Structures are given as structure tokens and as C-alpha cells.
Amino acid sequence: MEPIDVPRPKSVRDPNRPVSSLLLAQVKHLREAEKSLPPQYHSGIFSHAIQTESEAARYIQSVTEAIHAAHNDAAAERIRKVPKGKRGIEIAVADEAVERRAKKKSRSKKKDSPSKRKK
Amino acid sequence: MPPGLDQLKHIVVLMMENRSFDHMLGSLKAVNPAIDGYIDSDPFTNPDTNKNPVKPQALAEFQGQLNPDPDHHFPAVDVQIYGGQTGSGRVANMQGFVTSYFHQRGDVDHSQKIMYYFKQSDLPVLTTLALQFAVFNRWFASIPGPTICNRAFAHYGTSFGRVDMDPFDVIEPIKSIYTRLVTATAKHSAKVYYYDTSSSTMEVANLLQHQTELFGMYSQFLSDCDKGLLPDYSFVEPNYSDHDTDDGEEVASDQHPDHDVQAGEQLVAEVYTHIKNGPGWASTALLVVYDEHGGIFDHVVPPSCKPDKFPCSQVDPGTGQPFKFDRLGVRVPAILISPWIPQGTVVNRVFDHASIPATISKFFLGGSPDVSPRESNADVFIEPNNGQGNLANNLLSLDVMRNDCPSFRIRK
């Protein structure tokens, strides 16, 4: 079968197109998400003033990247707090040890639970 | 076990925006009468505000025609489905599309354009894929309403009682299909690929905000296709806006009115081509589906369905009566693509977006506990290959993989 041609769109590209209700809804969701970010991740963009697609895109990009950055920074901080000698492969070992201790604690709690105490 | 199911390792869902079945694929009835579209001799019409019958016509344009964006929020869709009838005992008749669109601009001639559909030659990608693989005659939006709550059904199997576009809370113990996959005892992989950070995802409130590790970008999706690195389950989102990037200008590809439909055709072609040309073609199935009808006409009355367990967040969602999530939204295009599907397959069973997590969950996990009633009752579009599927419904049914699948030349 011969390849089927997919024409190049003759789009009227218009970043100043009025923002759709869909994009406004997405902006609203991101605004709510931005509120829960620490101040250093805030966009500084007044999202209520957004009127065009390009303005929406700029805000969406800023908050989306901020959400990713906040999570990445938190993950990096988590690793940083692990003592140097235990980084890298040793982190996995440390994680396993923590898990084993938690399980052991849970089992001993069950043993001591009122329903299982010897009368 | 059929070899197509036996070899299946990856399922990809690409969800586009706001176009109805008849608008995009209706023309195919003239090519294959088994496809429940529209031909000129069909009696279906809609009255305009002068009570004149308006026939569907193959006059849809790629851009600039459906302006303003047709109303697709819950109250407007109610008018479209019930022809403006209210009160108990009313019967759905799909007679309200023209009058609904008239309400937005007050222009009788313009309102009739809501009944326009595309010629087959206008949409070479979508129509070729529909004719060459499996097209669904009865895939409906999950609720008769807008994008965010319909997409929620694709992610969670429910919209948690929402029929609007506001942020919603996930109500435990229901989890997204992605969380279920990546936290399963036998861990699976899942990713939501959004186009870029300027377009981002429509699932912000819960997934992006709390699980950024689930996300990747479209460029990574294409690379993952090329290198055979696709996760078990991929959900791909189109570009939702015209915007500038460091690499140049981007054109919206979601096909949401008034974005260029041809840009969306290129996106679908690109997704298909990268899967087909990658090492995973024999082991991948692609579902191209639309989230809702966008206010555009369709002639098929949506069926009733098992009610969801969440009460509607609005006592009156703008229609004067409560909604119990017991009926589906308007029909949308849906096509399943795999080299194991016979050419010209037409599926008449009923599906909605809850079928997506239902399918993924049953295929990869053997099912999930704590799912919504809508998901537990949803049909699956790919049968599980663990002996629990109904092989009579298997669409990947060929014994030998096809070598005649179409290819596209994407003009840049």
C-alpha cells in the first residue's frame, strides 16, 4: 500500500486566540495546585487576568515546571539527608533495614495486643 | 491463546478532544454500511429555531467554522440529547444540537453548521485507521458533559460525582489506573505523556500535583516507541494550545474547536507511525478515542448504564433535575489499532471511558478491588490473556500478523 499523504495544516496559528473554557479550567486547576507550593515556586503570574491561549500556556508551563521542580527538590533533599556513607547502593540497603525494623515492630505489637495476651 | 493477545505487552491510549462520531467518521457509512454513520438518504435531521429541518452535510471545515466553541457543558448537552424537553418521562431524541448552538450566537444560518461533518478525504488518517482496523460503533462519552469529568473516567473509572470542570478530590479507596499499576505487587509501568509543559496535562489536581513521576513528555513518548521502551500502559495527551517554545512555534493538535483538525490528523499519524515503525509494533495496541462530542451532532441516542456510586455534586446540574450517572454521553470516535486486528472490523458492543481502566486493570492485573460500579460493569476492548477473558470478543484475532498495515507520509 502506498503511503497516504497527510497534508500540512494550513493553520491559522493564533496564540492570541481567546482562551477556551477548557484552558481556563486547566488554569484553575493549576492555580489551586500553585497555592500548595512553597512561595519560592510560585509563578508570579496573575492567573485571573489570563485572556489568551499564549497567556494560558505561559502560566501552565510555569506552574507545571514548578510542580516538577518542587517534587524533584524534595526527592533530592531526602537523599541529601541520608548520611554520606550510606548513599547510592547503600540507600537501598538502608531502606530495607528500615522496612525490616518496621515489620518487626508491627509483629511485636500484634503479639502484645490485648486480644492475644495470655490470660 | 491467540498470538496477538499472547504477545501483547503495551497498550497506548491517545485521547483527543471534542468531536463526535458522525462529525468525524459518519462519512464512512457510504464506504462500509456496517459503520453506523450518516449518508444523505438517512432521515436524521435537527430542527432549527424556525422549526425547519436541517440535514447533516459534508461541509465541515478544518478551522474557523465552529466559532464560538459549541457548548458542551452539562446543561447544553441535555438540550442536545433531549431536544429541549424537560421533566420526567422525557425521551432522548438527539434533536437539540442546532437550537443549542443557536443560543450561543443567535444566528440561524450559523447554528446549522453544527450539523456539518467531514468527508472521508478530509481526514485521511482517522478514516484510514477506522477502515483498516477496529472502529467502535458504540463508544460513548462517560457522561453527557465536558472534558475534565469525562477524562476522569479514563483515569479513575469515575468522576467522583462531578459533571463540571472544577478540581475534584479522589475518594479512596478508588485509585487511578496508573497508581494501581505501579503499586501492584507484581509491579507494572505506566506513564501519562503530555505534549510539553506549556500544554501539560488535564489531570492536575490529583495526578500531576501528587505523582509527578507518572509523567513524561510527548518527545519522550516518540523516543520510547523508537527504542522499544514503552511502559506497559501509556496515556497520551495532545497539545492543547498554540504557543511558543524555545524550539519554535507549536500548533494545537487536540482538535478542540477552533483548533485545526488537520494538526490533529498529523498528531494521530505521528503516534501511529512511531508505534508501527518501532520494535514494539507486534506487541502494542493503540486506542485513539475522543473525550466527548464537543456539542457537535450525532444521531445515536446514548444508552442508560449502571449508576455510579457517587451522588452528583450538584443537586441540580443546571437541568432542573438530578443526575444519577445512569446514562452515557454522546457517541465519540474510537478506533483500536494493532497488526493482529482484521481489516474492516466493526464493533457494536457498548463502551465508554470507564472501559479504559477496566481493560488495563484486567489485562495487566487480573482486575482491581475497589473500583467504581461504572468500571466494574464496563466492557473491555482487549480481553485479558490470563484465561479469564471472553475470547469470542477478542479483536486481536488474526493467527498471522498483518503485513499490509497502512503507512502515512506526514507533510511538514
PDB file of all heavy atoms in Angstrom, chain B residues 86-110:
ATOM      1  N   THR B  86     -37.945  18.846  29.039  1.00  0.00           N
ATOM      2  CA  THR B  86     -37.569  18.787  30.448  1.00  0.00           C
ATOM      3  C   THR B  86     -38.611  17.950  31.187  1.00  0.00           C
ATOM      4  O   THR B  86     -39.634  17.589  30.620  1.00  0.00           O
ATOM      5  CB  THR B  86     -37.509  20.204  31.062  1.00  0.00           C
ATOM      6  OG1 THR B  86     -38.788  20.834  30.852  1.00  0.00           O
ATOM      7  CG2 THR B  86     -36.427  21.041  30.415  1.00  0.00           C
ATOM      8  N   GLY B  87     -38.343  17.651  32.419  1.00  0.00           N
ATOM      9  CA  GLY B  87     -39.323  16.923  33.208  1.00  0.00           C
ATOM     10  C   GLY B  87     -39.198  15.415  33.066  1.00  0.00           C
ATOM     11  O   GLY B  87     -38.523  14.907  32.163  1.00  0.00           O
ATOM     12  N   SER B  88     -39.860  14.710  33.965  1.00  0.00           N
ATOM     13  CA  SER B  88     -39.788  13.242  33.953  1.00  0.00           C
ATOM     14  C   SER B  88     -40.571  12.719  32.752  1.00  0.00           C
ATOM     15  O   SER B  88     -41.449  13.386  32.223  1.00  0.00           O
ATOM     16  CB  SER B  88     -40.370  12.677  35.247  1.00  0.00           C
ATOM     17  OG  SER B  88     -41.719  13.074  35.368  1.00  0.00           O
ATOM     18  N   GLY B  89     -40.226  11.503  32.318  1.00  0.00           N
ATOM     19  CA  GLY B  89     -40.926  10.903  31.188  1.00  0.00           C
ATOM     20  C   GLY B  89     -40.424  11.369  29.838  1.00  0.00           C
ATOM     21  O   GLY B  89     -40.926  10.946  28.794  1.00  0.00           O
ATOM     22  N   ARG B  90     -39.461  12.278  29.805  1.00  0.00           N
ATOM     23  CA  ARG B  90     -38.945  12.741  28.511  1.00  0.00           C
ATOM     24  C   ARG B  90     -38.143  11.634  27.858  1.00  0.00           C
ATOM     25  O   ARG B  90     -37.594  10.750  28.529  1.00  0.00           O
ATOM     26  CB  ARG B  90     -38.104  13.993  28.710  1.00  0.00           C
ATOM     27  CG  ARG B  90     -36.892  13.767  29.606  1.00  0.00           C
ATOM     28  CD  ARG B  90     -36.128  15.033  29.841  1.00  0.00           C
ATOM     29  NE  ARG B  90     -34.908  14.780  30.603  1.00  0.00           N
ATOM     30  CZ  ARG B  90     -33.877  15.595  30.635  1.00  0.00           C
ATOM     31  NH1 ARG B  90     -33.908  16.742  29.957  1.00  0.00           N
ATOM     32  NH2 ARG B  90     -32.798  15.290  31.342  1.00  0.00           N
ATOM     33  N   VAL B  91     -38.055  11.704  26.538  1.00  0.00           N
ATOM     34  CA  VAL B  91     -37.377  10.677  25.754  1.00  0.00           C
ATOM     35  C   VAL B  91     -36.254  11.334  24.957  1.00  0.00           C
ATOM     36  O   VAL B  91     -36.472  12.349  24.286  1.00  0.00           O
ATOM     37  CB  VAL B  91     -38.378   9.985  24.788  1.00  0.00           C
ATOM     38  CG1 VAL B  91     -37.653   8.979  23.901  1.00  0.00           C
ATOM     39  CG2 VAL B  91     -39.478   9.295  25.587  1.00  0.00           C
ATOM     40  N   ALA B  92     -35.067  10.749  25.031  1.00  0.00           N
ATOM     41  CA  ALA B  92     -33.928  11.279  24.282  1.00  0.00           C
ATOM     42  C   ALA B  92     -34.199  11.143  22.790  1.00  0.00           C
ATOM     43  O   ALA B  92     -34.664  10.092  22.324  1.00  0.00           O
ATOM     44  CB  ALA B  92     -32.661  10.525  24.669  1.00  0.00           C
ATOM     45  N   ASN B  93     -33.920  12.202  22.012  1.00  0.00           N
ATOM     46  CA  ASN B  93     -34.202  12.165  20.578  1.00  0.00           C
ATOM     47  C   ASN B  93     -33.102  12.799  19.727  1.00  0.00           C
ATOM     48  O   ASN B  93     -33.241  12.851  18.500  1.00  0.00           O
ATOM     49  CB  ASN B  93     -35.544  12.854  20.285  1.00  0.00           C
ATOM     50  CG  ASN B  93     -35.561  14.301  20.740  1.00  0.00           C
ATOM     51  OD1 ASN B  93     -34.521  14.886  21.068  1.00  0.00           O
ATOM     52  ND2 ASN B  93     -36.736  14.906  20.784  1.00  0.00           N
ATOM     53  N   MET B  94     -32.028  13.287  20.351  1.00  0.00           N
ATOM     54  CA  MET B  94     -30.882  13.883  19.627  1.00  0.00           C
ATOM     55  C   MET B  94     -31.350  14.995  18.685  1.00  0.00           C
ATOM     56  O   MET B  94     -30.825  15.151  17.583  1.00  0.00           O
ATOM     57  CB  MET B  94     -30.104  12.810  18.851  1.00  0.00           C
ATOM     58  CG  MET B  94     -29.786  11.563  19.643  1.00  0.00           C
ATOM     59  SD  MET B  94     -28.926  11.920  21.198  1.00  0.00           S
ATOM     60  CE  MET B  94     -27.251  12.072  20.636  1.00  0.00           C
ATOM     61  N   GLN B  95     -32.307  15.800  19.140  1.00  0.00           N
ATOM     62  CA  GLN B  95     -32.895  16.824  18.284  1.00  0.00           C
ATOM     63  C   GLN B  95     -32.532  18.250  18.702  1.00  0.00           C
ATOM     64  O   GLN B  95     -33.100  19.204  18.170  1.00  0.00           O
ATOM     65  CB  GLN B  95     -34.424  16.680  18.296  1.00  0.00           C
ATOM     66  CG  GLN B  95     -34.910  15.408  17.599  1.00  0.00           C
ATOM     67  CD  GLN B  95     -34.683  15.486  16.106  1.00  0.00           C
ATOM     68  OE1 GLN B  95     -35.296  16.286  15.415  1.00  0.00           O
ATOM     69  NE2 GLN B  95     -33.759  14.680  15.605  1.00  0.00           N
ATOM     70  N   GLY B  96     -31.579  18.399  19.610  1.00  0.00           N
ATOM     71  CA  GLY B  96     -31.350  19.735  20.150  1.00  0.00           C
ATOM     72  C   GLY B  96     -30.033  20.387  19.769  1.00  0.00           C
ATOM     73  O   GLY B  96     -29.672  21.427  20.331  1.00  0.00           O
ATOM     74  N   PHE B  97     -29.294  19.821  18.803  1.00  0.00           N
ATOM     75  CA  PHE B  97     -27.954  20.361  18.514  1.00  0.00           C
ATOM     76  C   PHE B  97     -28.020  21.746  17.883  1.00  0.00           C
ATOM     77  O   PHE B  97     -27.283  22.669  18.256  1.00  0.00           O
ATOM     78  CB  PHE B  97     -27.189  19.394  17.595  1.00  0.00           C
ATOM     79  CG  PHE B  97     -26.852  18.091  18.245  1.00  0.00           C
ATOM     80  CD1 PHE B  97     -27.639  16.963  18.053  1.00  0.00           C
ATOM     81  CD2 PHE B  97     -25.752  17.983  19.086  1.00  0.00           C
ATOM     82  CE1 PHE B  97     -27.344  15.753  18.673  1.00  0.00           C
ATOM     83  CE2 PHE B  97     -25.444  16.781  19.715  1.00  0.00           C
ATOM     84  CZ  PHE B  97     -26.241  15.670  19.515  1.00  0.00           C
ATOM     85  N   VAL B  98     -28.915  21.926  16.930  1.00  0.00           N
ATOM     86  CA  VAL B  98     -28.985  23.221  16.233  1.00  0.00           C
ATOM     87  C   VAL B  98     -29.497  24.307  17.169  1.00  0.00           C
ATOM     88  O   VAL B  98     -28.961  25.409  17.215  1.00  0.00           O
ATOM     89  CB  VAL B  98     -29.865  23.118  14.970  1.00  0.00           C
ATOM     90  CG1 VAL B  98     -29.975  24.473  14.283  1.00  0.00           C
ATOM     91  CG2 VAL B  98     -29.287  22.092  14.001  1.00  0.00           C
ATOM     92  N   THR B  99     -30.549  23.995  17.913  1.00  0.00           N
ATOM     93  CA  THR B  99     -31.098  25.017  18.821  1.00  0.00           C
ATOM     94  C   THR B  99     -30.096  25.353  19.919  1.00  0.00           C
ATOM     95  O   THR B  99     -29.980  26.505  20.327  1.00  0.00           O
ATOM     96  CB  THR B  99     -32.424  24.572  19.443  1.00  0.00           C
ATOM     97  OG1 THR B  99     -32.263  23.264  20.013  1.00  0.00           O
ATOM     98  CG2 THR B  99     -33.515  24.515  18.409  1.00  0.00           C
ATOM     99  N   SER B 100     -29.359  24.353  20.396  1.00  0.00           N
ATOM    100  CA  SER B 100     -28.333  24.604  21.408  1.00  0.00           C
ATOM    101  C   SER B 100     -27.274  25.558  20.857  1.00  0.00           C
ATOM    102  O   SER B 100     -26.878  26.524  21.527  1.00  0.00           O
ATOM    103  CB  SER B 100     -27.699  23.290  21.838  1.00  0.00           C
ATOM    104  OG  SER B 100     -26.594  23.499  22.702  1.00  0.00           O
ATOM    105  N   TYR B 101     -26.818  25.307  19.626  1.00  0.00           N
ATOM    106  CA  TYR B 101     -25.766  26.159  19.054  1.00  0.00           C
ATOM    107  C   TYR B 101     -26.303  27.553  18.745  1.00  0.00           C
ATOM    108  O   TYR B 101     -25.572  28.540  18.835  1.00  0.00           O
ATOM    109  CB  TYR B 101     -25.167  25.502  17.808  1.00  0.00           C
ATOM    110  CG  TYR B 101     -23.786  26.024  17.446  1.00  0.00           C
ATOM    111  CD1 TYR B 101     -22.865  26.372  18.438  1.00  0.00           C
ATOM    112  CD2 TYR B 101     -23.380  26.158  16.120  1.00  0.00           C
ATOM    113  CE1 TYR B 101     -21.602  26.849  18.108  1.00  0.00           C
ATOM    114  CE2 TYR B 101     -22.114  26.627  15.781  1.00  0.00           C
ATOM    115  CZ  TYR B 101     -21.234  26.972  16.788  1.00  0.00           C
ATOM    116  OH  TYR B 101     -19.972  27.436  16.464  1.00  0.00           O
ATOM    117  N   PHE B 102     -27.602  27.643  18.393  1.00  0.00           N
ATOM    118  CA  PHE B 102     -28.214  28.948  18.150  1.00  0.00           C
ATOM    119  C   PHE B 102     -28.138  29.834  19.386  1.00  0.00           C
ATOM    120  O   PHE B 102     -27.941  31.053  19.282  1.00  0.00           O
ATOM    121  CB  PHE B 102     -29.679  28.783  17.720  1.00  0.00           C
ATOM    122  CG  PHE B 102     -30.407  30.093  17.566  1.00  0.00           C
ATOM    123  CD1 PHE B 102     -30.299  30.831  16.393  1.00  0.00           C
ATOM    124  CD2 PHE B 102     -31.182  30.606  18.600  1.00  0.00           C
ATOM    125  CE1 PHE B 102     -30.953  32.050  16.249  1.00  0.00           C
ATOM    126  CE2 PHE B 102     -31.841  31.831  18.466  1.00  0.00           C
ATOM    127  CZ  PHE B 102     -31.728  32.549  17.286  1.00  0.00           C
ATOM    128  N   HIS B 103     -28.268  29.238  20.560  1.00  0.00           N
ATOM    129  CA  HIS B 103     -28.268  30.011  21.809  1.00  0.00           C
ATOM    130  C   HIS B 103     -26.978  30.776  22.012  1.00  0.00           C
ATOM    131  O   HIS B 103     -26.937  31.740  22.765  1.00  0.00           O
ATOM    132  CB  HIS B 103     -28.477  29.079  23.015  1.00  0.00           C
ATOM    133  CG  HIS B 103     -29.848  28.491  23.065  1.00  0.00           C
ATOM    134  ND1 HIS B 103     -30.126  27.291  23.681  1.00  0.00           N
ATOM    135  CD2 HIS B 103     -31.032  28.918  22.568  1.00  0.00           C
ATOM    136  CE1 HIS B 103     -31.415  27.004  23.552  1.00  0.00           C
ATOM    137  NE2 HIS B 103     -31.989  27.969  22.886  1.00  0.00           N
ATOM    138  N   GLN B 104     -25.908  30.346  21.317  1.00  0.00           N
ATOM    139  CA  GLN B 104     -24.616  30.970  21.576  1.00  0.00           C
ATOM    140  C   GLN B 104     -24.389  32.224  20.744  1.00  0.00           C
ATOM    141  O   GLN B 104     -23.602  33.077  21.130  1.00  0.00           O
ATOM    142  CB  GLN B 104     -23.493  29.959  21.301  1.00  0.00           C
ATOM    143  CG  GLN B 104     -23.507  28.833  22.313  1.00  0.00           C
ATOM    144  CD  GLN B 104     -22.353  27.877  22.112  1.00  0.00           C
ATOM    145  OE1 GLN B 104     -22.544  26.754  21.691  1.00  0.00           O
ATOM    146  NE2 GLN B 104     -21.139  28.316  22.409  1.00  0.00           N
ATOM    147  N   ARG B 105     -25.008  32.304  19.555  1.00  0.00           N
ATOM    148  CA  ARG B 105     -24.716  33.456  18.717  1.00  0.00           C
ATOM    149  C   ARG B 105     -25.984  34.108  18.166  1.00  0.00           C
ATOM    150  O   ARG B 105     -25.922  35.176  17.575  1.00  0.00           O
ATOM    151  CB  ARG B 105     -23.803  33.000  17.556  1.00  0.00           C
ATOM    152  CG  ARG B 105     -22.955  34.115  16.943  1.00  0.00           C
ATOM    153  CD  ARG B 105     -21.825  33.550  16.108  1.00  0.00           C
ATOM    154  NE  ARG B 105     -22.002  33.854  14.700  1.00  0.00           N
ATOM    155  CZ  ARG B 105     -21.067  33.654  13.771  1.00  0.00           C
ATOM    156  NH1 ARG B 105     -19.906  33.128  14.100  1.00  0.00           N
ATOM    157  NH2 ARG B 105     -21.316  33.959  12.504  1.00  0.00           N
ATOM    158  N   GLY B 106     -27.119  33.393  18.297  1.00  0.00           N
ATOM    159  CA  GLY B 106     -28.370  33.961  17.809  1.00  0.00           C
ATOM    160  C   GLY B 106     -28.434  34.074  16.300  1.00  0.00           C
ATOM    161  O   GLY B 106     -29.179  34.890  15.772  1.00  0.00           O
ATOM    162  N   ASP B 107     -27.666  33.241  15.595  1.00  0.00           N
ATOM    163  CA  ASP B 107     -27.576  33.309  14.135  1.00  0.00           C
ATOM    164  C   ASP B 107     -28.086  31.977  13.575  1.00  0.00           C
ATOM    165  O   ASP B 107     -27.431  30.945  13.729  1.00  0.00           O
ATOM    166  CB  ASP B 107     -26.105  33.552  13.743  1.00  0.00           C
ATOM    167  CG  ASP B 107     -25.898  33.672  12.240  1.00  0.00           C
ATOM    168  OD1 ASP B 107     -26.688  33.096  11.460  1.00  0.00           O
ATOM    169  OD2 ASP B 107     -24.916  34.334  11.850  1.00  0.00           O
ATOM    170  N   VAL B 108     -29.250  32.021  12.910  1.00  0.00           N
ATOM    171  CA  VAL B 108     -29.867  30.780  12.428  1.00  0.00           C
ATOM    172  C   VAL B 108     -28.965  30.055  11.434  1.00  0.00           C
ATOM    173  O   VAL B 108     -28.756  28.844  11.531  1.00  0.00           O
ATOM    174  CB  VAL B 108     -31.246  31.068  11.785  1.00  0.00           C
ATOM    175  CG1 VAL B 108     -31.803  29.808  11.143  1.00  0.00           C
ATOM    176  CG2 VAL B 108     -32.222  31.597  12.825  1.00  0.00           C
ATOM    177  N   ASP B 109     -28.432  30.793  10.465  1.00  0.00           N
ATOM    178  CA  ASP B 109     -27.591  30.149   9.441  1.00  0.00           C
ATOM    179  C   ASP B 109     -26.353  29.515  10.076  1.00  0.00           C
ATOM    180  O   ASP B 109     -25.979  28.393   9.754  1.00  0.00           O
ATOM    181  CB  ASP B 109     -27.150  31.171   8.385  1.00  0.00           C
ATOM    182  CG  ASP B 109     -28.306  31.587   7.490  1.00  0.00           C
ATOM    183  OD1 ASP B 109     -29.305  30.837   7.426  1.00  0.00           O
ATOM    184  OD2 ASP B 109     -28.225  32.674   6.888  1.00  0.00           O
ATOM    185  N   HIS B 110     -25.739  30.245  10.988  1.00  0.00           N
ATOM    186  CA  HIS B 110     -24.530  29.732  11.625  1.00  0.00           C
ATOM    187  C   HIS B 110     -24.836  28.505  12.485  1.00  0.00           C
ATOM    188  O   HIS B 110     -24.056  27.563  12.538  1.00  0.00           O
ATOM    189  CB  HIS B 110     -23.870  30.819  12.460  1.00  0.00           C
ATOM    190  CG  HIS B 110     -22.566  30.386  13.074  1.00  0.00           C
ATOM    191  ND1 HIS B 110     -21.418  30.239  12.333  1.00  0.00           N
ATOM    192  CD2 HIS B 110     -22.242  30.041  14.338  1.00  0.00           C
ATOM    193  CE1 HIS B 110     -20.436  29.825  13.122  1.00  0.00           C
ATOM    194  NE2 HIS B 110     -20.904  29.706  14.349  1.00  0.00           N
TER     195      HIS B 110
END
